[in-house]
Amino acid sequence: MVRAEYRPYFLLSPALISLALLLLAPVLFIFVYSFWLRAANGQDIPAFQFGNWITVGGDPFYWLALRETFKISAITTVICMLVGYPTAYFLARCRFNNKALLLFLLFLPFWISYIIRTFAWINVLGKSGFVNSVLLGIGIIDKPLSLLYNDFSVIMGLVYFQLPYMIINVYVSLDGIDRNLESAARTLGCTAWQTFREVTLPLSLPGLGAGSLLCFVLAAGSFVTPRLLGGTDTLFFSQLIYEAIISQLDWPTGSVLSLMLLLSLGIIVAVYNRFMSLSDIYRSFAK
Amino acid sequence: MNAVELHRITRRFSSAVVAVDNIDLTVPAGAFVTLLGPSGCGKTTTLRMIAGLETPDEGDVMIKGNRMNEVPIHRRNLGMVFQNYALFPHKTIYDNVAFGLKYRNVGKDEIRRRVKQALDIVRLPGVEERFPAQLSGGQQQRIALARALVIEPDVLLLDEPLSALDANLREEMRVELKNIQRRIGVATVFVTHDQGEALAMSDLVVVMNKGHIEQMGAPTEVYEQPRSEFVASFLGNANFLPATVRQVASDGISVDLGAAGALLVSDAARPVSPGEAVKVVVRAEKIDIAPPGNGGLSATVADVDYLGSMARYQMELPGGHRLLSLVSLKDRALELGQSVSLQINPRHCRIL
Ligand SMILES: Nc1ncnc2c1ncn2[C@@H]1O[C@H](COP(=O)(O)OP(=O)(O)OP(=O)(O)O)[C@@H](O)[C@H]1O
Ligand SMILES: [Mg+2]
């Protein structure tokens, strides 16, 4: 018999073991690799030295790429917030009596391969794509806009991919708000808008916060979207890692880059948690 | 001037669901009016229409003599307490209570003074800095009341405010709520499906059923002079005896109970004439039990429920009809199969 205080760990063990094998172990390998030496002939030699770290850390190009990556991720996150919140609000508040269907529709695109869905954007935004054909057709422009292979198309693709995650997070927290709280605010003298500001928005912040964090992290770590929709000048960090490891077979540098992304995301998440004091918000719901 | 008047109010949620059906209701200034009825009879919907949270499909809502139909909720100056308290979980108790004052442009110092006063009234001083989750259910209920009272509302609307509390606390809060209401003198509409609460607290009880009003009156009136079988059965324990009117005289109406004998009834909900088939209501606690052969209706004890201070008997009359009888026990309980004589004062019987 498992003792009571160990029982949670016992029940968690399948999850813990798979996490350890699938996540912790590879990260450990990467960590070890980041100290290896790369010989002139391209061979990786086991070693313990900080050369790779110093080279990468001292190269402003990588920092620029990191900043660009975070900038684009932040922009997509903000767009997701602005587009996702009203959508989630509508989903949570509409009188439609088959909400399960609406939520199902929200996740329907996930049934199609992410890569195919991303390729679809090429048909939408390309020189002879949907948007340009329509604009040309009604005569607003007289030569096709270049909408593809730049930051714009990357942001478009990322927003498209992340939006359902934002919506579902906000939806869950909006749906959990007791409608009587809003009624109470109204009877106490709030207009509909003031009620939203005083009650609905603050109480949905945990969902908005969680959704934003998820969007940001998903964006910063994304590879397919910037690869397929980005231009030659798109500096996405995952691209650099790919270049280093797959194209140049430079595992030590690739490892350092991976850890650099991991650590900076970790720091951002920690600061964000602190700043948004999510745990405080959650605590006020503890009943 | 009446605090609230509802004129022929109707609310339909769909053609099949008529939650409130053509209701007329008057709440006099300072009165405590209870809406009583089974689940789904439209109590909450009626209350929400007074508050403006629900719009009537037909009819007028008047508050202090002004038609309110088009006045938005936030300009109605009503205090509402919800069944689940509905305190803002992200705000302190102080901010919860001060909330309504903030939106009435009351000055900071005045707000502080009135919040303190409101917390004193509900006997919870010193909890200003806490969050709702840090208070017990009864305390949260008091805060909800304080939040509704602090704005000095024209009408206080209470939707089953006691139903989430356990029995003892409920009793205590009931007394306290009534005291506060009496002291402040605010007209109150109280929703409940608990007849005990309704009878104990109200100036006026409004018995509702399926969206309409069955009967409206003082607690003693609805209890002792029920106008319908529904009202009689919803309040207290009532027996319904099928009978035929034999004779209508000045000292009462005598009715024929078939094999069980005859009964004299002094009260009727409507005029009746001899030969008419009627129902006679007899309250379970108004039946006196005597040894057999003392007149009245003879019966045998068919079932005994011993409740400690009380006993609940099923008395079988000749002909098989059973009467429920509630007796407070000073002596030993009767035994099964015992023959008794049931004496029913004509004043305690009523023809429906
Ligand atoms: N928003 C709504 N949409 C559709 N039907 C509703 C809505 N609100 C209430 N109803 C229906 O209207 C009727 C009256 O509801 P109401 O909430 O007023 O009952 P109630 O007397 O307060 O009952 P309870 O004691 O259970 O609270 C019910 O049949 C209910 O199902
Ligand atoms: Mg109700």
Side-chain angles (χ1 to χ4, degrees):
Chain A
M1 208 41 225
V2 191
R3 279 179 51 191
E5 64 255 49
Y6 297 131
R7 206 166 291 153
Y9 298 102
F10 178 75
L11 292 172
L12 273 174
S13 59
L16 290 177
I17 290 170
S18 23
L19 267 181
L21 285 180
L22 299 174
L23 193 74
L24 230 49
V27 170
L28 265 177
F29 276 121
I30 296 283
F31 187 66
V32 170
Y33 256 121
S34 72
F35 300 110
W36 283 21
L37 257 181
R38 182 172 158 85
N41 63 1
Q43 245 199 327
D44 295 332
I45 305 157
F48 183 72
Q49 47 86 38
F50 292 88
N52 310 313
W53 285 95
I54 291 163
T55 317
V56 170
D59 191 337
F61 173 73
Y62 290 120
W63 292 107
L64 178 67
L66 196 62
R67 222 175 50 220
E68 275 297 297
T69 305
F70 287 166
K71 191 181 87 190
I72 289 182
S73 306
I75 292 172
T76 62
T77 304
V78 170
I79 295 176
C80 282
M81 281 162 82
L82 296 178
V83 178
Y85 197 97
T87 316
Y89 190 88
F90 169 78
L91 275 177
R93 291 299 144 84
C94 70
R95 296 264 170 128
F96 192 64
N97 41 23
N98 197 347
K99 285 201 185 158
L101 177 70
L102 295 180
L103 293 177
F104 169 77
L105 289 177
L106 185 63
F107 281 94
L108 195 61
F110 283 63
W111 288 26
I112 302 164
S113 153
Y114 173 44
I115 297 188
I116 293 176
R117 284 188 290 139
T118 308
F119 270 126
W121 279 101
I122 295 173
N123 290 325
V124 175
L125 298 176
K127 283 265 188 292
S128 53
F130 177 76
V131 174
N132 274 319
S133 309
V134 169
L135 291 181
L136 282 171
I138 56 179
I140 291 180
I141 52 173
D142 46 31
K143 68 180 186 313
L145 300 170
S146 44
L147 300 168
L148 204 52
Y149 307 126
N150 51 26
D151 285 356
F152 170 76
S153 54
V154 173
I155 290 171
M156 208 65 182
L158 285 174
V159 167
Y160 168 69
F161 166 60
Q162 293 163 183
L163 203 49
Y165 294 101
M166 176 64 90
I167 292 173
I168 198 74
N169 269 287
V170 176
Y171 169 81
V172 168
S173 67
L174 279 174
D175 198 46
I177 296 176
D178 175 9
R179 300 300 301 273
N180 278 345
L181 293 176
E182 290 164 0
S183 300
R186 293 302 309 270
T187 60
L188 288 167
C190 281
T191 60
W193 168 246
Q194 288 166 335
T195 301
F196 176 77
R197 227 184 43 205
E198 286 271 13
V199 178
T200 318
L201 184 61
L203 291 180
S204 64
L205 277 186
L208 192 63
S212 305
L213 194 61
L214 191 61
C215 282
F216 184 83
V217 173
L218 278 174
S222 67
F223 171 72
V224 173
T225 308
R227 175 106 186 144
L228 295 184
L229 300 178
T232 43
D233 58 345
T234 304
L235 272 180
F236 229 75
F237 213 75
S238 53
Q239 307 280 86
L240 302 181
I241 299 173
Y242 178 83
E243 286 294 312
I245 292 182
I246 306 293
S247 308
Q248 283 151 35
L249 295 171
D250 186 349
W251 277 78
T253 305
S255 302
V256 172
L257 289 174
S258 303
L259 288 172
M260 197 167 147
L261 182 62
L262 184 71
L263 288 176
S264 2
L265 276 179
I267 290 168
I268 286 175
V269 171
V271 169
Y272 181 88
N273 241 331
R274 193 71 199 251
F275 179 67
M276 291 283 292
S277 57
L278 284 181
S279 48
D280 269 356
I281 299 176
Y282 286 126
R283 202 176 50 217
S284 67
F285 292 118
K287 286 238 168 169
Chain B
M1 188 184 298
N2 290 322
V4 180
E5 284 171 36
L6 301 182
H7 295 306
R8 313 185 74 79
I9 286 278
T10 296
R11 176 75 175 109
R12 294 182 200 90
F13 285 110
S14 65
S15 56
V17 184
V18 186
V20 173
D21 191 3
N22 205 5
I23 275 188
D24 275 299
L25 177 68
T26 299
V27 181
F32 195 110
V33 173
T34 299
L35 304 182
L36 175 69
S39 192
C41 71
K43 307 180 295 286
T44 298
T45 308
T46 306
L47 202 69
R48 288 173 63 87
M49 282 194 285
I50 300 174
L53 294 165
E54 204 78 68
T55 314
D57 295 310
E58 284 160 33
D60 294 325
V61 178
M62 316 280 285
I63 294 175
K64 291 210 161 161
N66 301 313
R67 188 167 178 277
M68 283 286 158
N69 289 40
E70 274 76 46
V71 177
I73 311 159
H74 61 278
R75 299 231 191 84
R76 291 199 183 188
N77 198 38
L78 303 171
M80 185 146 176
V81 175
F82 297 83
Q83 180 171 351
N84 58 357
Y85 323 134
L87 297 178
F88 305 123
H90 57 302
K91 292 179 185 292
T92 61
I93 298 304
Y94 182 88
D95 288 336
N96 263 281
V97 178
F99 194 88
L101 297 174
K102 198 170 91 183
Y103 283 93
R104 280 170 174 71
N105 295 320
V106 178
K108 277 236 155 55
D109 293 332
E110 176 71 1
I111 290 184
R112 190 158 302 136
R113 194 183 64 74
R114 278 166 72 175
V115 169
K116 185 175 180 318
Q117 188 187 10
L119 289 177
D120 284 340
I121 287 176
V122 298
R123 294 199 289 129
L124 268 180
V127 296
E128 284 90 341
E129 299 312 315
R130 293 204 219 160
F131 282 91
Q134 295 167 306
L135 297 183
S136 73
Q139 290 172 325
Q140 289 184 38
Q141 187 59 276
R142 284 161 208 254
I143 298 303
L145 187 61
R147 183 178 68 177
L149 287 175
V150 77
I151 58 172
E152 292 172 1
D154 292 335
V155 187
L156 183 62
L157 305 171
L158 308 166
D159 192 358
E160 307 205 21
L162 307 179
S163 65
L165 304 176
D166 65 51
N168 287 335
L169 199 55
R170 199 173 169 153
E171 193 83 16
E172 191 181 309
M173 276 301 291
R174 178 172 94 187
V175 174
E176 188 156 330
L177 180 60
K178 180 65 199 173
N179 281 341
I180 292 172
Q181 189 271 338
R182 196 177 293 141
R183 204 163 54 209
I184 296 177
V186 59
T188 301
V189 184
F190 179 84
V191 163
T192 184
H193 54 239
D194 182 316
Q195 43 146 324
E197 272 170 19
L199 294 175
M201 301 173 82
S202 321
D203 299 316
L204 188 71
V205 178
V206 179
V207 185
M208 291 181 67
N209 183 27
K210 295 185 185 148
H212 61 263
I213 294 177
E214 286 273 338
Q215 189 171 355
M216 186 157 32
T220 47
E221 186 183 331
V222 290
Y223 187 80
E224 286 173 12
Q225 290 149 12
R227 207 174 292 155
S228 65
E229 200 170 325
F230 176 83
V231 176
S233 61
F234 197 76
L235 291 160
N237 297 291
N239 291 292
F240 300 96
L241 289 168
T244 317
V245 177
R246 196 188 278 161
Q247 198 188 349
V248 182
S250 59
D251 63 336
I253 304 158
S254 75
V255 297
D256 186 10
L257 299 176
L263 199 61
L264 196 62
V265 180
S266 67
D267 190 17
R270 58 193 166 87
V272 290
S273 49
E276 202 175 323
V278 292
K279 279 206 169 138
V280 178
V281 192
V282 183
R283 292 277 174 203
E285 73 281 3
K286 300 263 163 92
I287 300 175
D288 289 324
I289 299 170
N294 275 324
L297 304 173
S298 52
T300 50
V301 179
D303 192 29
V304 181
D305 249 347
Y306 175 69
L307 305 172
S309 66
M310 306 262 285
R312 181 162 38 202
Y313 302 114
Q314 294 283 345
M315 299 296 189
E316 189 162 320
L317 300 174
H321 203 87
R322 285 185 175 196
L323 278 184
L324 178 72
S325 164
L326 270 174
V327 179
S328 71
L329 284 178
K330 295 188 195 75
D331 209 344
R332 294 187 44 208
L334 298 173
E335 278 168 27
L336 220 56
Q338 210 171 324
S339 287
V340 291
S341 144
L342 305 180
Q343 308 194 319
I344 307 169
N345 190 317
R347 284 190 301 116
H348 294 149
C349 303
R350 182 174 160 89
I351 289 175
L352 289 183

